[in-house]
Amino acid sequence: MLRCATFLAVILGLAAPAVRAEVLVFAAASLKEPLDRMAAEFEGVVVSYGGSGTLARQISLGAPADVVLLANLTWMDTLVEGAHVSPETVADFASNALVLIGADGTAPLQLEQDALVRALGDGRMAVGLTEAVPAGIYAKAALQSLGLWDATKDRLAEVDSVRSALALVIRRQTPLGIVYATDVRISDAVVTLAAFPAESHLPIRYIGALTDHEKTKAAAFLDYVTGSEGQAILAEAGFLPPVEIAQ
């Protein structure tokens, strides 16, 4: 079974686990710091991070994840519709905010076309893939909402995850980037230049589910993430409470 899982990991582009995982968690890259802390409390839990769209596609192709923690409702709905997760286990557990960032020392700016174009200069703006990575999807929606899309759509550096976008700004390969508010907290090399209005994009919802609700340890881990201890760790990392969705 381990050999099969390792083979799947290779063909799907995942890093093969160094140790046998009792529970394999696929999680949005932006969750890394708090989730690493939570996983450390559970022996045998291994976490694989990536863009939510990439993780969802890997699961749909048979990747052996037990717990799925995504940053976008659409990708979770895709897994539910494909019967890749147990719908009764789907639960919101956090939310986030979207911000424009620059290298440390960059002055704050207004979310206006002239200011944005001037700040970009000859460079590009780092974002997650705007058709696949949740942070990129939210970024596109926010730019469109604020009338900034036409001025920036050909100036984007689209990458495979929000952490890859963050890395481009940290390394000063791009002057600007759009990431989650929590991402800024992990590096002193970047600063928040502006916050996108919450109403400029859909709520940034973190949603978890089990692929097999009968796997006891996987269910216990998801319960930990959504419970009071997990919520405290998420809050400490800057995540916001789950969004209340009107029925």
Side-chain angles (χ1 to χ4, degrees):
M1 185 64 181
L2 180 60
R3 185 175 300 174
C4 177
T6 302
F7 174 71
L8 274 171
V10 171
I11 65 171
L12 294 172
L14 297 171
V19 296
R20 181 184 295 273
E22 293 180 56
V23 175
L24 180 58
V25 180
F26 275 20
S30 53
L31 291 166
K32 180 171 173 51
E33 287 71 30
L35 206 59
D36 279 353
R37 286 182 57 188
M38 293 186 223
E41 300 294 322
F42 284 77
E43 184 178 353
V45 170
V46 173
V47 186
S48 178
Y49 296 102
S52 292
T54 299
L55 298 178
R57 284 192 293 269
Q58 289 172 344
I59 290 168
S60 69
L61 291 171
D66 301 302
V67 180
V68 188
L69 304 172
L70 303 181
N72 182 268
L73 177 62
T74 300
W75 285 117
M76 185 61 77
D77 284 345
T78 297
L79 293 180
V80 170
E81 291 164 7
H84 300 296
V85 298
S86 300
E88 64 272 25
T89 68
V90 175
D92 282 63
F93 63 91
S95 62
N96 216 327
L98 196 68
V99 297
L100 179 72
I101 63 169
D104 183 37
T106 306
L109 56 82
Q110 298 294 316
L111 290 173
E112 298 172 351
Q113 181 172 313
D114 289 347
L116 204 54
V117 170
R118 188 163 51 249
L120 278 173
D122 295 328
R124 291 182 174 269
M125 183 159 56
V127 297
L129 293 165
T130 56
E131 300 299 326
V133 174
I137 294 170
Y138 297 128
K140 179 179 179 180
L143 291 169
Q144 288 176 324
S145 175
L146 297 174
L148 301 171
W149 178 247
D150 288 342
T152 57
K153 64 183 179 181
D154 296 325
R155 306 286 305 279
L156 302 178
E158 297 192 33
V159 288
D160 62 354
S161 76
V162 68
R163 288 300 172 85
S164 295
L166 177 68
L168 288 179
V169 183
I170 289 174
R171 295 196 297 261
R172 297 178 181 259
Q173 292 177 282
T174 62
L176 302 177
I178 300 177
V179 300
Y180 298 130
T182 51
D183 295 311
V184 184
R185 297 165 64 103
I186 71 168
S187 174
D188 293 332
V190 297
V191 292
T192 298
L193 306 180
F196 287 91
E199 63 272 16
S200 68
H201 55 81
L202 290 174
I204 300 170
R205 299 169 59 185
Y206 288 83
I207 306 161
L210 303 177
T211 60
D212 179 1
H213 67 278
E214 294 184 357
K215 194 163 188 178
T216 304
K217 194 163 190 176
F221 184 73
L222 182 58
D223 286 345
Y224 183 73
V225 173
T226 60
S228 59
E229 292 182 81
Q231 291 296 294
I233 292 172
L234 286 162
E236 187 177 334
F239 287 84
L240 303 171
V243 176
E244 291 188 11
I245 304 299
Q247 299 297 319

